[in-house]
């Protein structure tokens, strides 16, 4: 049985997925400071390797629980199925590399834009000739709400809504929700338009924890499943094994 572990530590949550070949058999959130990963290994004794992507630190704490298996820590030094054009390669986030790899797994040798809507919103291009081009980073939904609350005296802390957003609002909460969520929507639409002018037949993948608030509001986009990044990590691990 060929089982392996993929780990994604973001700014707000840490998640793992256990693969059996190309199929996910278990996925969950975990606490990097507890013994959660050790318990995963006990439940899946056939796991003998894994890969970890982290932008939230706590890599050493995870590796301490995984001494019995061979682990790859994803970075710009990891062998990838695409080339990096980023000038500061060592500073590019591992999460962005994993997401680009996921786009490669879905649409190899095609122009793809990956938009990750999490704590921050990131834009990454994978070209048809397998080059990764870094793109803008802007504040995510929660960060925009939090910043307006913390840097003003009277504005309340709001949460995103799935209700219809209006440009004529009835109260402060509606004003904040419309400003933030429509602002993000229009920002993303304009970036997609601009990228489409430069890259023919562009595939657009929308991922990240807050993508649910944009579903049905963006045409011609693929809203990635929650396993999108895990599949990118799986591809990178397989790619390194075959080199």
């Amino acid at each position: 049985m060929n089982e392996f572990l993929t780990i994604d530590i973001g700014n707000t949550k840490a998640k793992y997925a256990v693969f059996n070949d190309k199929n996910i058999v278990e996925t969950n959130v975990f606490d990097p400071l507890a013994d959660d990963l050790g318990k995963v290994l006990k439940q899946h004794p056939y796991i003998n390797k894994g890969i970890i992507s982290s932008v939230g630190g706590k890599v050493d704490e995870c590796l301490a629980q995984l001494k019995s298996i061979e682990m790859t820590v994803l970075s710009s030094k990891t062998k990838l199925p695409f080339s990096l054009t980023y000038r500061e390669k060592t500073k590019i986030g591992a999460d962005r590399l994993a997401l680009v790899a996921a786009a490669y797994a879905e649409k190899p040798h095609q122009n793809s834009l990956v938009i990750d809507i999490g704590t921050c919103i990131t834009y990454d291009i994978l070209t048809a000739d397998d080059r990764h081009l870094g793109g803008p980073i802007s504040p995510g939904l929660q960060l925009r709400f939090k910043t307006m609350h913390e840097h003003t005296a009277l504005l309340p802390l709001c949460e995103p809504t799935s209700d219809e957003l209006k440009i004529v609002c009835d109260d402060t909460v509606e004003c904040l929700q419309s400003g933030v969520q429509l602002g993000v929507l229009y920002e993303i639409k304009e970036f997609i338009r601009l990228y489409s002018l430069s890259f023919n037949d562009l595939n657009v993948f929308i991922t990240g924890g807050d993508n649910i608030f944009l579903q049905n509001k963006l045409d011609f986009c693929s809203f990635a499943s929650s396993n999108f990044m895990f599949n990118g990590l799986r591809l990178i691990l397989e790619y390194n094994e075959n080199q």
Side-chain angles (χ1 to χ4, degrees):
M1 184 179 294
N2 182 27
E3 287 195 338
F4 55 91
L5 182 66
T6 58
I7 298 172
D8 166 32
I9 302 177
N11 288 301
T12 56
K13 286 192 293 188
K15 299 169 286 185
Y16 72 85
V18 177
F19 279 84
N20 184 348
D21 291 324
K22 297 183 185 298
N23 301 312
I24 292 178
V25 297
E26 182 184 335
T27 181
N28 211 336
V29 297
F30 73 97
D31 181 357
L33 302 181
D35 189 34
D36 292 354
L37 295 176
K39 294 175 182 177
V40 173
L41 293 187
K42 290 179 181 178
Q43 293 168 357
H44 297 273
Y46 292 101
I47 293 176
N48 60 12
K49 60 191 173 186
I51 183 169
I52 182 169
S53 163
S54 175
V55 295
K58 302 181 178 64
V59 173
D60 290 340
E61 289 86 345
C62 292
L63 294 179
Q65 302 175 54
L66 301 169
K67 292 180 180 179
S68 61
I69 66 173
E70 181 181 346
M71 288 296 298
T72 297
V73 179
L74 179 58
S75 73
S76 61
K77 297 179 181 179
T78 307
K79 293 179 181 179
L80 301 166
F82 48 84
S83 61
L84 301 179
T85 64
Y86 208 67
R87 184 169 61 244
E88 296 180 306
K89 291 181 175 62
T90 59
K91 294 184 179 180
I92 192 164
D95 56 338
R96 301 181 79 168
L97 299 178
L99 291 172
V100 171
Y104 183 95
E106 292 272 347
K107 301 286 186 180
H109 317 305
Q110 297 184 35
N111 290 324
S112 294
L113 169 64
V114 182
I115 304 173
D116 182 31
I117 308 172
T119 303
C120 293
I121 303 171
T122 58
Y123 301 82
D124 290 273
I125 284 283
L126 176 65
T127 65
D129 59 352
D130 301 335
R131 291 179 299 126
H132 170 225
L133 312 178
I137 302 175
S138 67
L141 292 174
Q142 304 285 356
L143 195 53
R144 296 182 195 212
F145 284 123
K146 184 178 180 181
T147 299
M148 287 195 292
H149 170 63
E150 292 183 349
H151 291 271
T152 63
L154 298 176
L155 291 178
L157 179 62
C158 297
E159 293 290 331
T161 179
S162 298
D163 296 339
E164 181 183 358
L165 299 167
K166 301 179 290 186
I167 58 172
V168 177
C169 304
D170 296 321
D171 56 48
T172 302
V173 171
E174 279 190 358
C175 292
L176 290 167
Q177 289 171 329
S178 291
V180 168
Q181 291 179 242
L182 288 177
V184 167
L185 176 63
Y186 299 147
E187 170 194 313
I188 289 174
K189 282 186 172 181
E190 180 63 8
F191 272 122
I192 292 173
R193 186 188 72 82
L194 292 173
Y195 279 119
S196 296
L197 294 175
S198 299
F199 301 94
N200 296 327
D201 302 318
L202 185 67
N203 305 300
V204 180
F205 296 97
I206 309 289
T207 186
D210 284 335
N211 72 18
I212 58 173
F213 297 106
L214 295 179
Q215 291 183 15
N216 303 318
K217 296 180 176 65
L218 291 167
D219 297 326
F220 312 113
C221 297
S222 296
F223 281 84
S225 74
S226 58
N227 297 328
F228 189 68
M229 179 180 283
F230 290 132
N231 278 312
L233 292 171
R234 172 190 59 78
L235 177 71
I236 293 171
L237 192 60
E238 291 177 351
Y239 183 79
N240 278 262
E241 286 184 334
N242 295 326
Q243 294 302 298

